[in-house]
Amino acid sequence: MRLRTLLLWGTFLAVHVLVAWQGWVFPSQPMGDVVIVYQPWSQAALSGGPVVGITESWVYPQPALLPMLLTQVLAWPLTGVVGAVDAYLIGWAVLVTALDAVAFGLLVGRTGSARRRSAGWFWTGALALFGPIAMYRIDAVTVPLAVVGGLWLVRRPGAAAIVLTFAAWIKIWPGALVFAAVAASKNRMRILLTAAATTAAIIVVLFLLGADQHLFGFLTEQTGRGLQIEAVAATPFMWMAHFGAASVDYSFDILTFQIGAPGVEFIAWMLTPLMVLALAVVIGIGAVKAMRGASFPRLFPPLALAAVLVLIVTNKVGSPQFQTWLIVPVIMWIIFDRTRSGVPAGIVLGLATLTCLVYPLTYDGLLRTQLLPVLLLTVRNVLVVVLLVLAVRALVRVPVRPISHRS
């Protein structure tokens, strides 16, 4: 292994140790989801209690329970030493680190090329700047899966479709990468049919497990929720709350903080159809570019980034871990088109820094709508919109091959 690659590997693993430790010492319980919801859900399933997604509706697709159950296995040897809660936290950190290491190994290998090392350094830097939110959420399981799927799209499109589709059945966002791949790749039919077959296989298994009544509960459970305080669309309302014209309310049903203000229900309702429309437009642009001869390495990165950004910008949920989704399309951009990846990579690193400053470092102040955290959140959300505009502009500017006509 070359010294430069060895240094990269060492830094990548050291950052995981740092981020895992930050979860224990940073304010606002950045590991809260792992021990407050993931551990009880998985423990109930193992002990004969309710099985989320099977016997009752759930906010996540059913396969999201698998890493939570696997963490119970990893935590079991430590339970008698450090206690069930700490053992589960350690098990989760080990699981995420292992998954990241597998994807990182595929990315940089033993003697990675310059562009693959650049992508590896970007991922390492993003993890360090995001902090514990990049590890202690279910999204941390989907990021390495999406990296693997993205790297396989060119040479192993069928396997890529399986991995990305399975990742989407853990947390929906990798589905945007599937749509982008179908639009941009010459192997679109293979990707589409494989994704459909994978989805069908998962549904059959879930039916056999008894999930028929709650199969799509992860969709219906989200329909009635309000506008979360960190969502892009909530930014004006957070300033209203700062000046006393709106409120920050806690939802015990969804376990999150939402905006309370006149008209906010309509905004929250409007965002879902807006998301569908915006995603269709972005994917449509990509499909037209592909049909006109745009190359996959030039087309897929901005298309994938724009599609993922649509899911963030038009979302009524603004959870900080959503920003970690951006790691994957930027890695793909560095791999496929390194010379044009600098600006989006730099902006995502800036978003990582701002996200960590908002949550968990100043989150208590944000709940009290203090000036500094509201300002930090505003800058972060504006920067997300700017990145979406830049991604769409890059997508529109992707060159196409001129169509020759016979005279």
Side-chain angles (χ1 to χ4, degrees):
M1 183 178 290
R2 294 177 181 174
L3 181 60
R4 287 177 295 184
T5 304
L6 185 62
L7 176 63
L8 175 56
W9 265 105
T11 307
F12 185 71
L13 295 176
V15 164
H16 279 77
V17 175
L18 173 65
V19 170
W21 170 78
Q22 288 174 341
W24 297 79
V25 298
F26 275 13
S28 303
Q29 291 186 308
M31 303 185 298
D33 280 20
V34 176
V35 293
I36 293 174
V37 288
Y38 300 174
Q39 184 186 31
W41 282 333
S42 54
Q43 186 61 45
L46 291 174
S47 60
V51 181
V52 286
I54 304 296
T55 62
E56 60 184 43
S57 291
W58 197 27
V59 293
Y60 297 129
Q62 291 83 350
L65 187 60
L66 294 176
M68 301 175 192
L69 293 171
L70 181 55
T71 301
Q72 291 283 359
V73 176
L74 296 174
W76 176 75
L78 297 173
T79 301
V81 180
V82 298
V85 172
D86 289 348
Y88 194 84
L89 286 170
I90 294 171
W92 185 267
V94 169
L95 174 64
V96 171
T97 301
L99 290 173
D100 281 355
V102 171
F104 199 74
L106 183 64
L107 173 62
V108 302
R110 293 177 57 86
T111 56
S113 64
R115 61 180 179 176
R116 287 181 175 267
R117 287 197 306 271
S118 295
W121 281 116
F122 164 78
W123 191 359
T124 302
L127 286 174
L129 294 173
F130 272 120
I133 199 63
M135 176 173 285
Y136 295 106
R137 291 295 188 273
I138 189 64
D139 308 69
V141 173
T142 60
V143 168
L145 291 176
V147 169
V148 171
L151 292 173
W152 281 349
L153 276 173
V154 174
R155 296 186 178 181
R156 303 177 65 184
I162 292 172
V163 173
L164 289 173
T165 303
F166 181 74
W169 272 92
I170 294 177
K171 195 71 181 283
I172 296 175
W173 75 269
L177 302 180
V178 177
F179 288 131
V182 170
S185 175
K186 293 180 179 179
N187 298 302
R188 60 180 58 88
M189 288 306 301
R190 184 176 180 182
I191 294 172
L192 180 61
L193 292 175
T194 304
T198 303
T199 295
I202 292 173
I203 290 175
V204 168
V205 171
L206 293 176
F207 262 108
L208 293 175
L209 292 173
D212 52 327
Q213 295 183 5
H214 306 290
L215 185 60
F216 297 107
F218 61 94
L219 296 177
T220 58
E221 284 288 301
Q222 301 284 347
T223 55
R225 71 185 301 167
L227 186 63
Q228 191 177 1
I229 62 172
E230 294 159 271
V232 172
T235 306
F237 294 101
M238 287 300 291
W239 282 104
M240 291 172 60
H242 174 71
F243 291 108
S247 62
V248 172
D249 306 322
Y250 187 73
S251 170
F252 289 94
D253 294 329
I254 306 297
L255 304 179
T256 191
F257 290 94
Q258 301 179 159
I259 287 289
V264 74
E265 294 85 359
F266 174 75
I267 297 295
W269 172 85
M270 182 186 67
L271 286 173
T272 299
L274 178 61
M275 177 189 295
V276 174
L277 177 61
L279 186 60
V281 169
V282 166
I283 297 300
I285 295 173
V288 170
K289 287 283 184 177
M291 288 187 293
R292 296 181 60 191
S295 68
F296 181 83
R298 284 292 304 271
L299 178 59
F300 180 73
L303 176 58
L305 182 60
V308 172
L309 281 164
V310 164
L311 299 186
I312 297 173
V313 171
T314 61
N315 210 313
K316 59 184 174 182
V317 182
S319 300
Q321 64 268 21
F322 287 9
Q323 304 295 321
T324 65
W325 305 349
L326 300 174
I327 292 173
V328 181
V330 171
I331 286 176
M332 297 303 108
W333 206 325
I334 297 171
I335 292 296
F336 293 130
D337 190 17
R338 182 185 176 190
T339 58
R340 297 172 183 84
S341 63
V343 172
I347 292 177
V348 170
L349 293 178
L351 289 171
T353 304
L354 290 166
T355 298
C356 186
L357 289 173
V358 171
Y359 184 88
L361 295 181
T362 64
Y363 194 67
D364 286 343
L366 184 68
L367 298 180
R368 295 191 292 270
T369 65
Q370 294 177 353
L371 177 61
L372 178 59
V374 172
L375 182 60
L376 288 171
L377 177 63
T378 301
V379 175
R380 198 280 304 273
N381 286 347
V382 169
L383 195 57
V384 173
V385 175
V386 169
L387 184 57
L388 174 58
V389 172
L390 293 176
V392 172
R393 186 181 70 170
L395 174 61
V396 171
R397 292 182 173 182
V398 170
V400 297
R401 297 188 183 96
I403 301 174
S404 60
H405 298 279
R406 292 183 179 180
S407 57

